[in-house]
């Protein structure tokens, strides 16, 4: 039976925390701006993607059917720049980092979303949108590039609450957009330049501007109006403001009903971004052997709208928390196998309080900090009962089933059967040691021993990996 709650989200457009009511009963349509695939994504990008993961998992837990789109920007200035630098085609570069992105997603246990449309595969939809905007008189052309004239869209600025008269001076101007009539206008279609990918289409030979794809692809997969749009907070202006302008000017109806934005991950006091050079990529983190569950826990430990600071210490602390939970789960599993029936204590109130607080946290604007707090408060209260052997097998099962429910959202806990035992860990280490000393006979023997325990090893360039034989 689905768990029901009134859900509240902080909506950037209205500036208020609003009750969530979808357009269609029990259905939610979500669009999330995805990665631009020109390099490995940094952990700051993944704060936003983990937030989005919690959003979709929570909606499902509360009984909604979710249709979720996350685009892949696979044609863009940075992709063209880096492909040129490397001497490869933009397709090759984009494919490499698209694959890397999905590998990072798997590492951090993000649920696959329903659609991951690529910009290059939706050129027709984008061209149709540009044609609509041309027909509506919203555009002008300079040297083959087509611009959106924002003075024609009276609601421009409603999301970011930006003061348009003051933005003029401070706005970053792309070098190839100097011909705009107004510096605030943005490009819909970029005229062909030598050496750049292009499409020869009715609006001209060229390629799409970045903002265009999200408006075109969301309309295709979710309709002209949909429920929730997410993104990192730096996308509010100009990207999301431009998406609103394109979609609402083209279709004449509300684009998005709830706008949710995730705050930055900071490194000391600066925002983590490529240009600042303080980058920790998920790809590199994975290579250090960090526990992905600890990274997930860390990213969930603070409400998505509040700043979060990355440090090695914070990841270590998250690792300890995750270990604590894993040990708790393991001990409960052991007790659940026993025949211990006589109850000396009651735990119903502890379990139901945890359950209620956990769900209340999620329902209140996805407050994962509160939900995690509820779980660890229960651990704190139940642990002494495990120590004093006061827990019955049925009570252990009750706690396990609650943990499993919370883990549908958090996903920071492995089933005890899947947890690598210390014995296996030691065997893998011993084999590594044997290989280092070129004692291959011993290494092979240890490999066979692991195989007999159902553990298959794989030697990769990044080191040894293991998985359980099916
Ligand atoms: Zn977007």
């Amino acid at each position: 039976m689905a768990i029901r709650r009134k859900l509240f989200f902080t909506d950037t457009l209205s500036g208020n925390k609003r009750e969530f009511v979808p357009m269609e009963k029990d259905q939610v349509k979500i669009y999330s701006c995805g990665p631009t695939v020109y390099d490995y994504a940094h952990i700051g990008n993944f704060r936003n993607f983990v937030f989005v993961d919690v959003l979709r998992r929570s909606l499902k837990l509360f009984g909604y059917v979710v249709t979720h789109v996350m685009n892949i920007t696979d044609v863009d200035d940075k992709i063209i720049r880096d492909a040129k630098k490397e001497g490869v085609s933009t397709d090759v570069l984009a494919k490499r980092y698209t694959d890397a992105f999905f590998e990072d997603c798997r590492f951090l246990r993000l649920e696959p979303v329903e659609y991951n449309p690529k910009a290059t595969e939706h050129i027709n939809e984008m061209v149709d949108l540009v044609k609509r905007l041309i027909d509506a008189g919203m555009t002008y052309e300079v040297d083959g590039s087509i611009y959106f004239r924002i003075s024609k869209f009276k609601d421009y600025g409603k999301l970011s609450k930006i003061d348009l008269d003051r933005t003029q001076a401070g706005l970053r101007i792309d070098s190839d957009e100097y011909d705009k009539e107004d510096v605030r206008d943005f490009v819909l279609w970029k005229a062909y330049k030598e050496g750049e990918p292009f499409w020869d289409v009715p609006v001209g030979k060229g390629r799409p501007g970045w903002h265009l794809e999200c408006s075109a692809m969301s309309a295709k997969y979710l309709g002209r109006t949909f429920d929730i749009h997410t993104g990192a907070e730096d996308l509010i202006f100009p990207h999301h403001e431009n998406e609103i302008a394109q979609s609402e000017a083209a279709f004449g109806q509300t684009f998005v009903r709830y706008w949710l934005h995730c705050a930055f991950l900071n490194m000391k006091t600066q925002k983590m971004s490529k240009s600042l050079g303080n980058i920790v990529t998920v790809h590199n983190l994975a290579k250090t052997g960090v526990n992905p569950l600890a990274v997930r826990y860390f990213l969930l430990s603070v409400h998505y709208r509040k700043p979060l600071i990355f440090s090695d210490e914070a990841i270590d602390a998250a690792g300890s928390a995750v270990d604590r939970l894993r040990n708790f789960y393991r001990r409960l599993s052991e007790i659940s196998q026993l025949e211990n029936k006589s109850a000396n204590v009651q735990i119903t109130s502890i379990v139901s309080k945890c359950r209620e607080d956990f769900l209340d946290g999620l329902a209140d604007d996805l407050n994962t900090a509160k939900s995690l707090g509820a779980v660890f408060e229960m651990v704190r209260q139940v642990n002494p009962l495990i120590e004093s052997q006061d827990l019955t097998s049925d009570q252990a099962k009750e706690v396990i089933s609650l943990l499993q429910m919370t883990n549908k959202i958090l996903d920071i806990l492995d089933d005890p059967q899947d947890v690598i035992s210390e014995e296996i860990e030691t065997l893998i280490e011993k084999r590594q040691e044997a290989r280092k000393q070129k004692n291959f006979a011993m290494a092979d023997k240890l490999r066979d021993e692991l195989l007999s325990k159902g553990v298959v090893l794989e030697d990769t360039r990044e080191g040894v990996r293991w998985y359980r034989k099916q």
Side-chain angles (χ1 to χ4, degrees), residues 31 33 71 210 214 229 235 239-240 243:
Y31 188 91
C33 292
N71 65 309
W210 171 44
C214 294
H229 196 314
L235 295 189
H239 182 55
H240 289 162
E243 283 187 31

Side-chain angles (χ1 to χ4, degrees), residues 219-275:
K220 172 170 178 173
Y221 293 97
L222 302 173
R224 294 172 179 183
T225 303
F226 57 92
D227 295 302
I228 301 175
H229 196 314
T230 76
E233 65 183 0
D234 58 343
L235 295 189
I236 296 173
F237 182 83
H239 182 55
H240 289 162
E241 203 71 76
N242 292 351
E243 283 187 31
I244 294 175
Q246 292 165 153
S247 295
E248 298 195 353
F251 301 127
Q253 62 190 69
T254 300
F255 176 40
V256 168
R257 302 173 64 247
Y258 298 82
W259 283 94
L260 272 58
H261 289 102
C262 182
F264 292 134
L265 181 65
N266 295 306
M267 196 70 156
K268 287 172 194 157
T269 53
Q270 284 176 310
K271 170 193 150 194
M272 189 185 285
S273 74
K274 284 250 157 247
S275 51

Side-chain angles (χ1 to χ4, degrees), residues 20 27 45 53 70 73 132 170 296 302 359 367 407 420:
F20 176 67
Q27 301 274 332
N45 300 131
D53 187 55
M70 183 186 282
T73 302
R132 274 179 179 276
R296 233 185 118 88
V302 168
L359 296 172
N367 190 344
N407 207 44
I420 186 167

